[in-house]
Amino acid sequence: MGPLKYDLHIHSCLSPCAEREMAPSTIAGLCALNGAELIALTDHNSALNLPAMAACCRAYGLRLLPGIEVNTAEEVHLLCYFATVEAALEMGRLLYAHLPDFPYDPEIWGEQWVMDEDDQIVYKVDKLLTGAVDLDLYAAADACRALGGVPVPAHVDNDSYSVLSALGLWPEDGGFAAAELHIPAKKAGLEAAGLLPPGLETLTGSDAHALLSLREDFPLLGPDSVLWPLVEQLPAPE
């Protein structure tokens, strides 16, 4: 298996900040049409749309890397990737137990739809999924690793919800082997400023919350990536 065209940061309509049109089959079909080979669904603090997404990716000949975007206690977004949907669902159950339990108004925050593979609504999630869990960055990363996953700090070049905006520096003691950049061209400047370790693997993703934000051109993920051992465990596309 050679390098794969990827987008590893996509939200479905389970994330309240995503559009209703971001349903599993629609996402998978458009990603396949655009030329993707490997995608990850990374909803906020939940994996509940991954079973449907896995079925849709099989139908469209895509590899699915199961994922979740955790919002940690520091308001840092942490992408967690897994080899199986079951491991991601277990992480999601853990995160749901650590979400604050307060009144959630979908008219303010947006709906949170769990879908089937035909893009039909199955049910709604009650707790606000974009809230910060009461696990810090280190605890969330450890929980991910305990399930065989790989944690990757998300969009570290952003001015909000990133390790650099929240902590002011790269967590050298976090054990992170990769970081996601929203704009890959910023890597050299961040390294020169001492904000990213030299030689750290950097990924990029669309962070799509709407169909028009899905990628039409794709970077390549290859065997030198920290995520490759997970990719090798994924079912081959039919």
Side-chain angles (χ1 to χ4, degrees):
M1 180 170 58
L4 300 170
K5 297 177 182 178
Y6 77 87
D7 186 351
L8 300 181
H9 193 164
I10 300 172
H11 292 270
S12 78
C13 53
L14 177 59
S15 294
C17 43
E19 297 296 324
R20 169 64 177 81
E21 64 192 1
M22 295 294 280
S25 182
T26 306
I27 294 169
L30 190 53
C31 285
L33 183 65
N34 288 347
E37 297 171 306
L38 170 70
I39 66 172
L41 187 66
T42 53
D43 282 312
H44 292 293
N45 292 324
S46 182
L48 290 174
N49 268 348
L50 283 174
M53 195 69 190
C56 296
C57 284
R58 286 193 298 271
Y60 283 103
L62 294 169
R63 285 179 169 86
L64 173 69
L65 185 63
I68 296 178
E69 185 174 25
V70 182
N71 187 16
T72 72
E74 305 94 338
E75 299 276 2
V76 170
H77 284 185
L78 179 70
L79 293 164
C80 293
Y81 298 109
F82 303 91
T84 66
V85 170
E86 291 73 21
L89 287 169
E90 183 61 30
M91 182 73 176
R93 285 189 284 270
L94 171 69
L95 295 170
Y96 197 77
H98 285 273
L99 274 170
D101 193 3
F102 61 87
Y104 158 56
D105 186 347
E107 292 189 6
I108 296 174
W109 300 101
E111 298 284 4
Q112 301 179 146
W113 301 117
V114 177
M115 310 289 283
D116 65 17
E117 60 193 86
D118 296 318
D119 288 353
Q120 298 301 305
I121 297 167
V122 180
Y123 62 91
K124 296 189 233 181
V125 175
D126 294 328
K127 286 185 182 180
L128 178 63
L129 293 175
T130 50
V133 297
D134 62 0
L135 298 170
D136 66 21
L137 177 66
Y138 299 93
D142 287 345
C144 173
R145 295 184 183 110
L147 290 166
V150 176
V152 177
H155 40 63
V156 299
D157 52 328
N158 281 6
D159 293 333
S160 59
Y161 298 113
S162 73
V163 292
L164 297 183
S165 65
L167 307 182
L169 48 76
W170 178 257
E172 295 283 357
D173 56 349
F176 299 110
E180 184 201 47
L181 289 172
H182 185 64
I183 302 175
K186 290 184 177 181
K187 180 180 181 179
L190 292 171
E191 287 182 343
L195 295 174
L196 280 184
L200 182 76
E201 179 184 358
T202 52
L203 306 165
T204 190
S206 66
D207 196 6
H209 289 68
L211 293 178
L212 290 177
S213 299
L214 290 170
R215 297 190 75 102
E216 296 183 3
D217 61 307
F218 299 90
L220 293 174
L221 191 82
D224 56 342
S225 172
V226 66
L227 298 180
W228 199 252
L230 300 180
V231 175
E232 289 183 312
Q233 298 178 61
L234 303 177
E238 297 176 1

